[in-house]
Amino acid sequence: MGRLTTHVLDIAAGRPAPGMRIRLTALDSGTVLGEFTTNADGRLDAPALQGDAFQPGRYELLFMAGEYFRRIGTITGDGPDFIDEVPLRFGIRDASQHYHVPLLVSPWAYSTYRGS
């Protein structure tokens, strides 16, 4: 059965990113489907979507990266952060597959890919 999972790696520190808040939105309806916080391994404790809720469509995972970097002290001082909220928009075409959407992030850059 298909599911949506994610994890976050803090590439500035070379470790998982625990305690990062993430919001999942269905873009076709604008409905917020869930709000999550990464665990000690930088992952969610359960899939963000699975079962009947896992449907084809367009989605967004919004990672609160700037908040995370300020909380752990990587970013200090006043003013806007270079990397703040990271929106990753993607499509689910086949609800029978596993969609894994990781985020590799630092205060200055980020990258993603469809994982396994």
Side-chain angles (χ1 to χ4, degrees):
M1 180 179 295
R3 66 194 183 281
L4 171 65
T5 59
T6 188
H7 77 273
V8 184
L9 298 175
D10 176 345
I11 57 175
R15 64 177 185 228
M20 186 179 293
R21 291 187 319 117
I22 303 168
R23 180 180 308 129
L24 174 63
T25 303
L27 293 174
D28 296 330
S29 66
T31 303
V32 173
L33 300 174
E35 297 200 6
F36 313 95
T37 302
T38 57
N39 61 23
D41 195 33
R43 299 176 183 273
L44 305 184
D45 290 329
L49 276 181
Q50 63 183 341
D52 292 340
F54 190 70
Q55 297 292 321
R58 296 178 322 116
Y59 295 88
E60 177 183 84
L61 285 167
L62 182 65
F63 297 84
M64 312 314 179
E67 175 184 278
Y68 163 80
F69 286 119
R70 286 187 299 277
R71 181 175 49 78
I72 67 168
T74 303
I75 295 174
T76 60
D78 296 329
D81 301 325
F82 183 70
I83 299 292
D84 188 19
E85 294 179 344
V86 177
L88 297 182
R89 292 184 169 192
F90 59 95
I92 293 173
R93 181 174 294 195
D94 182 350
S96 71
Q97 294 186 10
H98 177 194
Y99 286 72
H100 184 66
V101 183
L103 177 68
L104 290 73
V105 66
S106 81
W108 310 279
Y110 64 89
S111 178
T112 191
Y113 56 94
R114 181 172 174 194
S116 57

